[in-house]
Amino acid sequence: MNEHTVYDAVIVGAGPAGLTAALYLARARMRVLVVEKDRIGGQIAITSEVVNYPGVALASGAELTQTMREQAAGFGAEFMAAEVTGLDMEGDVKTVRTSKGDLSAFAVLLATGAHPRRAGIEGEERFAGRGVGYCATCDGEFFEGKDVFVIGGGFSAAEEGVFLTKYARHVTILVRGDDFTCAPDAAAAAYNHEKITVLTHTQALAVEGDASLRSLTYRNTATGETTVYRAPEGDTFGLFVFAGYEPASELAAGLVALDGYGSIPADEGCRTECAGLFAAGDVRAKELRQVITATGDGAAAAASIEHYAAELRRKTGIVPVQPERAQASSPAPARQQDDAHHASSAAPATAQTLFDDDMLAQLNTVFARMERAVTLEVHGDGGAVGSELAAYAEALASLTDRVHVVHGDPARDACAFVRVLREDGTDSGLAFHGVPGGHEFTSFMLGLYNVAGPGQPLDDAARVRIASIEDPIDLKVLVSLSCTMCPETVLAAQRIAAENDRVRAEVYDIAHTPALKERYNVMSVPCVVVDDGRQVLFGRKNLDALLEALA
């Protein structure tokens, strides 16, 4: 163990709290690593409008947190896409166990935020993914022209209720109390919308149906009157749950005593009762959970960690070496990846027109590490998607000698797709139906890396479990390019397929493959269809969870 393998701090979570702490620590010349298993930005990244962050009149959550990330990176903060699976807080140098190996650090900051709370109504689990959803951005499009109900009385319920009017015939928000608990402006947007009905003093009781949702029962708690909504004959409806969040404090269990809500108690400097363990943001016990309080926590935690790590530097003689950093400056707003793969219609598509500078940097990093070449076998559809996919593949190939392009027969399922072939021309089992942009850009590139080698790290146990799959398995992973929960599932499926020739993992942009949505009754993504419907799995799945399901 030396200065090149130890961090001053490992930050778990890349929401506003974690990004702020990373910025402050890196600027103080501390070596800091941010580990994030999901999306940069946390929950706020899916918020379309942030209007109450001081100094920023209006921005999306994604834009705001992308700027925070660029600021932190500009001062030398490092980032890793991985899942933290455990903490060993004994001794001066702590161990952070991740899906990509162990990390060593003087301090650990948990900025893991919170995850959506279930409503707890009868039938909720049964219909999760088949009408019951938790992310309007991911699943709203499945309810075009249908009635939608929302459970919740906070900001998320009000904002997401308004968002769902883009698709729904009508939205009914069921508020358990006598009013929304969020800011009046957010509530007013819901109350005043012509496509929204707000029912206060109303509690959802149960959902029922067959393969799809058919009815919802709810009760007015003031009058005791019970109402049963039934979908129109032959139709279904949607139910979205925004009933608050539960702190993602699992990593702290056993290390500190959690409060009654599952939050991590910490003082004003974000110190917990466990030496070297800090907590910031929504996972920390506090009264107000907003972006502004999360960034305040991040700054306070950074100050505490700086003093703590400085003392351990003196005590152990280990001074972590911070990587060379780029000149910090005010970064230009990053282009959204959802649109980054669309070329200008006025000029031929090139790598420069299809990919922004950040994407090109990611591509070059992957290409430099690839041990072998891969071939993208492009199957067009005679239309716009096929042309865009061909341009996308050719642009990738123009950047490196590790990627080649060949053109195959027209798409067999009426949607253009690309199959990934190994260097010897054999089928790797990986394919993407549509154009892998948006949130699937990174997962597609990592799929190429896994086929070309050396691939993402696998521990011995996972490698053995993958190798133990003896019967052929066909995985269809249905995604939306706007879904922030899909890439982890895609990566897990692709990693298994790249490692075991008996497994296929084909990814489908559901916007271009509506027949699959109808065939498997899919009302939520990500969705993994195993062997043509032998199993249909909904929700985000990491490698361990997917292997467990396949077993």
Side-chain angles (χ1 to χ4, degrees):
M1 189 178 299
N2 57 48
E3 65 271 14
H4 295 286
T5 60
V6 176
Y7 293 89
D8 288 295
V10 168
I11 297 173
V12 187
L19 293 173
T20 302
L23 189 162
Y24 273 69
L25 285 167
R27 189 167 182 264
R29 308 303 290 150
M30 292 281 171
R31 189 180 186 195
V32 56
L33 174 69
V34 181
V35 183
E36 173 58 61
K37 71 173 183 178
D38 190 2
R39 58 175 173 266
I40 298 293
Q43 293 291 340
I44 195 64
I46 63 173
T47 299
S48 57
E49 292 186 356
V50 178
V51 296
N52 61 346
Y53 191 79
V56 179
L58 173 66
S60 71
E63 290 168 341
L64 185 63
T65 50
Q66 175 64 18
T67 301
M68 293 179 185
R69 181 197 188 284
E70 291 174 344
Q71 286 177 301
F75 284 113
E78 301 169 60
F79 290 82
M80 173 188 286
E83 180 179 7
V84 174
T85 57
L87 303 175
D88 182 351
M89 301 301 294
E90 294 295 325
D92 294 328
V93 179
K94 284 66 176 176
T95 300
V96 180
R97 307 198 185 284
T98 84
S99 56
K100 293 185 177 178
D102 291 350
L103 305 168
S104 299
F106 291 137
V108 177
L109 171 61
L110 294 181
T112 44
H115 45 71
R117 180 178 285 116
R118 297 295 176 102
I121 66 174
E122 184 178 343
E124 180 179 6
E125 294 292 334
R126 177 186 169 195
F127 289 101
R130 297 191 184 277
V132 176
Y134 303 87
C135 176
T137 303
C138 300
D139 299 335
E141 64 188 286
F142 294 108
F143 300 94
E144 184 81 40
K146 302 182 186 301
D147 290 333
V148 169
F149 288 79
V150 169
I151 295 176
F155 174 80
S156 293
E159 185 192 48
E160 301 287 41
V162 173
F163 176 84
L164 285 164
T165 60
K166 295 180 180 181
Y167 308 103
R169 175 169 53 217
H170 190 81
V171 175
T172 303
I173 304 178
L174 310 181
V175 181
R176 195 164 185 170
D178 58 2
D179 198 356
F180 286 102
T181 59
C182 57
D185 285 351
Y191 277 123
N192 298 330
H193 199 288
E194 61 183 7
K195 292 177 69 175
I196 293 180
T197 298
V198 179
L199 301 179
T200 58
H201 299 288
T202 303
Q203 179 182 5
L205 300 177
V207 286
E208 296 180 351
D210 38 46
S212 301
L213 281 185
R214 304 299 183 193
S215 70
L216 167 67
T217 302
Y218 55 91
R219 180 179 65 224
N220 185 302
T221 57
T223 66
E225 180 183 1
T226 297
T227 301
V228 179
Y229 164 86
R230 299 190 187 279
E233 184 69 27
D235 202 357
T236 184
F237 67 99
L239 175 68
F240 284 82
V241 178
F242 303 110
Y245 293 88
E246 295 176 320
S249 56
E250 297 85 357
L251 289 170
L255 298 173
V256 301
L258 304 178
D259 71 6
Y261 300 98
S263 300
I264 303 174
D267 65 15
E268 290 192 4
C270 295
R271 307 172 192 87
T272 73
E273 62 185 3
C274 176
L277 184 65
F278 300 77
D282 286 0
V283 75
R284 176 177 172 247
K286 57 183 180 178
E287 291 187 5
L288 182 63
R289 288 175 168 84
Q290 294 282 294
V291 178
I292 188 72
T293 63
T295 56
D297 278 1
S304 299
I305 291 170
E306 183 182 349
H307 291 298
Y308 182 84
E311 177 58 34
L312 286 178
R313 284 185 175 198
R314 288 190 290 270
K315 179 181 177 182
T316 64
I318 299 173
V319 180
V321 177
Q322 189 186 41
E324 290 296 320
R325 66 185 176 95
Q327 181 65 35
S329 60
S330 299
R335 200 161 39 137
Q336 291 296 305
Q337 285 190 359
D338 286 331
D339 299 319
H341 62 268
H342 292 289
S344 168
S345 59
T350 66
Q352 283 65 41
T353 59
L354 289 173
F355 310 118
D356 61 24
D357 290 343
D358 186 53
M359 297 167 79
L360 286 170
Q362 291 183 54
L363 289 169
N364 289 327
T365 298
V366 172
F367 294 147
R369 294 178 179 175
M370 288 168 61
E371 293 179 340
R372 295 174 294 278
V374 297
T375 295
L376 303 181
E377 184 181 86
V378 178
H379 297 256
D381 59 358
V385 175
S387 298
E388 186 177 2
L389 180 59
Y392 186 97
E394 296 288 355
L396 287 176
S398 72
L399 296 171
T400 177
D401 60 1
R402 293 296 191 186
V403 177
H404 308 294
V405 177
V406 298
H407 295 273
D409 297 331
R412 62 180 182 273
D413 60 0
C415 176
F417 71 96
V418 55
R419 177 180 289 127
V420 181
L421 308 180
R422 296 188 180 88
E423 189 171 46
D424 62 5
T426 58
D427 189 352
S428 71
L430 276 63
F432 194 100
H433 298 249
V435 182
H439 289 289
E440 293 306 327
F441 168 74
T442 300
S443 54
F444 180 75
M445 292 310 305
L446 287 175
L448 301 187
Y449 177 57
N450 288 331
V451 171
Q456 296 169 280
L458 275 177
D459 61 41
D460 291 340
R463 200 176 297 277
V464 169
R465 292 176 73 187
I466 294 173
S468 69
I469 298 174
E470 297 181 350
D471 296 325
I473 294 179
D474 176 76
L475 303 178
K476 291 180 174 66
V477 188
L478 280 54
V479 305
S480 166
L481 300 188
S482 64
C483 174
T484 59
M485 296 185 288
C486 290
E488 185 174 10
T489 304
V490 170
L491 284 171
Q494 290 183 155
R495 193 68 186 96
I496 296 170
E499 193 74 13
N500 188 322
D501 292 343
R502 292 178 287 276
V503 180
R504 295 195 60 79
E506 302 204 17
V507 184
Y508 293 78
D509 178 356
I510 204 163
H512 300 303
T513 53
L516 291 180
K517 180 183 106 172
E518 297 300 324
R519 184 187 311 167
Y520 301 112
N521 191 30
V522 176
M523 306 297 284
S524 179
V525 288
C527 171
V528 180
V529 179
V530 184
D531 293 338
D532 248 351
R534 176 171 61 85
Q535 282 180 285
V536 180
L537 311 171
F538 291 98
R540 182 170 57 202
K541 299 282 187 295
N542 62 19
L543 184 65
D544 287 340
L546 186 55
L547 284 170
E548 186 67 28
L550 296 179

